[in-house]
Amino acid sequence: MWPSFSLNRPLMWVGLAGLTLSVWLPDLVLRAVAISLVGLGLADAWRQVCREHQHARLGQEALALTEDGVIVTDAANRILAVNPAFTRITGFSVEEVRGRNATALSAPRHDTAFFERFWQTLHGTGRWEGEMWNRRKHGDEYPEWLRVRAITDANGRLSHHVYLFTDISMHKARERDLRRIGFEDPLTGLPNRRRLHDLMGSRLRHLRAGESLDIALIDIDGFKEVNDSLGVEQGDRLLARFGQRLANQVAGGVVGRLGGDEFMVIRTTNFDDHDKWVASLRTHLAEPFELQGHSLRLGLTVGSCRAPEDGRESGTLFQRLESALYTAKRNGRNHSQRFRPALDVQETPQLGIVNDLRHALATGSQLELHYQGQHRLGDGGLVGWEALLRWRHPRDGMISPVDFIPLAERHGLMASLGNWVIDEALACQARWRRLGMPELPIWINVSALQMFQGELESALSAGLARHGVPAPLLGLEITESVLLDERAGDIAPRLEALRKLGHPVAIDDFGTGYSSLGYLKQLPLDKLKLDRTFIRALPGDRADAAIVNAVLAMARGLDLEVIAEGVETEAQRDFLLAAGCVLVQGFLYARPEPADAIEARWLPAGSGGGSTALAAAKVNG
């Protein structure tokens, strides 16, 4: 860092010359001048000595300040000096290690081949760097990151070694913690999903002839109620005890927690007793758990499979376990379901349909709205349209909403699907207005999820503004089941706000739900849609006839319009006309058609007759 002591000093040589002259010069004045020159040389030499002492002291202070340990050895690797950090890390003082070979401090973890490579690299390149294990004064071992440099003299001969090392014990501990977190469930200490994949793969690779793997995926039924009643802390304690009991039951097997209240069990066996084994698990786990003075008996749903019969890869087995568990949950919970190939066949098409539906929503190219006319019973005049959603799949052709709407609800796609219908219906309405077709308001069906997620109002306002359509031309149909869905909250104020904006409101599929008639009286409504299930058997079915008459009488009392859907025969039409129904819709009058077919038929006819009544659009028609 600093220059070493040097004789290349002009004042020093002048002083030496002055010393010589002071002896031989005869004149006293000249001698005095020579002596003054000697003084200048001595002063310069003293300044250099002081500077070197200061540099040495600064170097020692720098070594004392660093947190890395430093060792200086001679050519024979005997320790000459160490810094204070060395003493802090190892516990040895400089007096205890001076003269000892530096390799004597290393832990006996390294073999002879390691040190041979160490010296070969150090002598060949002049430096070495890597991880090494050493021992402290009290005998405990610790890892360090070591950097060694070989120092040579002016002739190129080895003179010293300098060791610089860092204690990486804390770093290693953090690595172990991260590895534990990555492979271990923090609550129960059991292997997590990632580790279970590895363990299952290892057991599959080491299966011997005649051996199989029994695998079970266990879900605790109603665990949310435990958390709600006893608190999350007690719920966590229950999960820990559940995992411990399960591990004690499966000696020699693997028990892990996938997350939440799902646990997995893996055992290697030579016996063909899979169902008996699952039953024994359920029996053992059905014993009560004592928790905070409560005796809890748990319901369990189990999906299971067996390898290699049901698969030879961990990913495949995980998928089939989850398929079996899902089927068990769907069929009522609290029982076991072993994987069958039929389950895989059943679930795979649904997964494909969901993926294709996501693609259709992203591109918007496969979804269509078909429109079915609504008519007055008195004169058969057209009063509106009902838009019905269709999906024209590029491979499977036209897919009915009955097949894909439940999947959309299950996989969180209803909000996107409902927003697409809003925009498409408004776009069609705007186009028909530009073409001069009669303005017939379009009704859209609103699902419970749209009401719950709170995006309905913003989607409506944005669509109306974008397409320039007045709010009264877009009605909202609420299915009767929405009235009972707690997630939608108090629906009456929201419907009233939408009506104030100009949107007419109707109850769709009326009569198929269980809504209170008293609650119905308080709702801001314009229309009831009488479900087709009550129309199909008219006029011969006395029960359906009585229901239809009752609904029509109630609607007159509440000052509501009624439209009967699904009218397909003249006998049905005549009965409804006699009963006082004003509006109808069904195949007897018109079948659903795409918008371009309606436009092609309407426009050449000029201006078709029609009143300014309502048209309906629904997602799941």
Side-chain angles (χ1 to χ4, degrees), residues 148-475:
V148 187
R149 179 132 183 212
I151 308 300
T152 57
D153 58 19
N155 297 320
R157 291 191 297 269
L158 178 67
S159 61
H160 297 84
H161 296 114
V162 176
Y163 294 78
L164 181 68
F165 64 92
T166 305
D167 184 356
I168 58 174
S169 300
M170 295 300 295
H171 177 71
K172 285 288 187 179
R174 284 193 296 269
E175 282 186 349
R176 288 193 299 271
D177 289 341
L178 291 174
R179 190 177 301 110
R180 179 179 57 80
I181 292 172
F183 291 98
E184 183 179 295
D185 174 57
L187 177 62
T188 62
L190 299 173
N192 61 11
R193 177 183 289 268
R194 179 180 177 186
R195 181 60 175 157
L196 284 169
H197 266 289
D198 296 340
L199 292 173
M200 186 185 296
S202 175
R203 293 217 167 195
L204 287 169
R205 289 191 299 271
H206 294 91
L207 279 180
R208 299 176 181 176
E211 288 184 338
S212 299
L213 283 188
D214 283 328
I215 314 167
L217 187 58
I218 303 172
D219 181 87
I220 302 176
D221 296 334
F223 184 73
K224 181 179 182 298
E225 283 70 20
V226 177
N227 279 339
D228 292 342
S229 301
L230 303 181
V232 176
E233 182 178 350
Q234 295 300 322
D236 289 346
R237 187 172 300 175
L238 176 61
L239 290 175
R241 291 186 183 178
F242 185 90
Q244 183 178 6
R245 180 184 291 186
L246 192 57
N248 293 337
Q249 173 70 7
V250 190
V254 174
V255 175
R257 180 181 177 222
L258 275 70
D261 55 1
E262 285 190 359
F263 291 79
M264 178 177 286
V265 185
I266 307 172
R267 73 156 184 173
T268 304
T269 180
N270 293 314
F271 301 102
D272 188 12
D273 59 348
H274 180 86
D275 295 336
K276 183 179 178 180
W277 173 70
V278 173
S280 69
L281 289 178
R282 292 180 57 85
T283 301
H284 184 70
L285 296 172
E287 294 295 323
F289 289 84
E290 300 299 328
L291 194 68
Q292 202 180 24
H294 298 273
S295 182
L296 300 179
R297 292 182 181 271
L298 303 178
L300 304 174
T301 303
V302 182
S304 65
C305 66
R306 188 176 175 89
E309 291 93 322
D310 297 327
R312 298 178 179 272
E313 297 181 357
S314 62
T316 301
L317 292 169
F318 262 85
Q319 179 181 351
R320 292 178 173 177
L321 277 171
E322 291 173 350
S323 175
L325 181 65
Y326 172 76
T327 302
K329 288 181 178 180
R330 189 176 57 189
N331 292 337
R333 292 183 174 271
N334 199 30
H335 71 284
S336 303
Q337 174 68 61
R338 182 173 176 178
F339 172 79
R340 304 189 308 272
L343 300 181
D344 213 21
V345 172
Q346 180 181 0
E347 296 301 326
T348 301
Q350 290 191 359
L351 178 62
I353 290 177
V354 171
N355 185 61
D356 292 346
L357 183 56
R358 293 183 192 275
H359 177 72
L361 281 170
T363 59
S365 59
Q366 301 174 18
L367 300 175
E368 302 175 3
L369 285 183
H370 288 199
Y371 297 86
Q372 184 177 29
Q374 298 176 327
H375 298 262
R376 282 191 307 270
L377 264 176
D379 58 7
L382 182 67
V383 296
W385 306 96
E386 178 181 13
L388 307 171
L389 181 61
R390 298 291 182 262
W391 179 13
R392 193 179 298 277
H393 194 280
R395 182 189 65 247
D396 300 331
M398 195 67 76
I399 299 179
S400 169
V402 175
D403 296 325
F404 67 83
I405 289 297
L407 291 176
E409 292 176 342
R410 188 185 309 161
H411 294 274
L413 299 178
M414 274 307 300
S416 300
L417 201 59
N419 291 343
W420 183 90
V421 170
I422 291 173
D423 190 74
E424 181 65 19
L426 288 172
C428 180
Q429 182 70 274
R431 186 171 63 254
W432 284 355
R433 295 180 73 205
R434 290 194 301 269
L435 294 175
M437 294 172 60
E439 294 187 355
L440 303 174
I442 297 179
W443 294 71
I444 61 171
N445 183 270
V446 177
S447 71
L449 291 175
Q450 284 177 278
M451 299 294 291
F452 167 64
Q453 294 173 352
E455 298 180 352
L456 175 64
E457 288 83 354
S458 59
L460 286 172
S461 60
L464 293 172
R466 181 165 52 253
H467 297 288
V469 175
L473 293 182
L474 189 68

Side-chain angles (χ1 to χ4, degrees), residues 103-112 115 133-135 139-141:
T103 56
L105 302 178
S106 63
R109 296 195 179 200
H110 305 291
D111 55 14
T112 304
F115 284 105
W133 283 80
N134 271 7
R135 281 187 298 191
D140 56 313
E141 301 176 356

Side-chain angles (χ1 to χ4, degrees), residues 25-35:
L25 287 174
D27 187 74
L28 291 177
V29 176
L30 294 176
R31 284 186 179 183
V33 172
I35 291 173

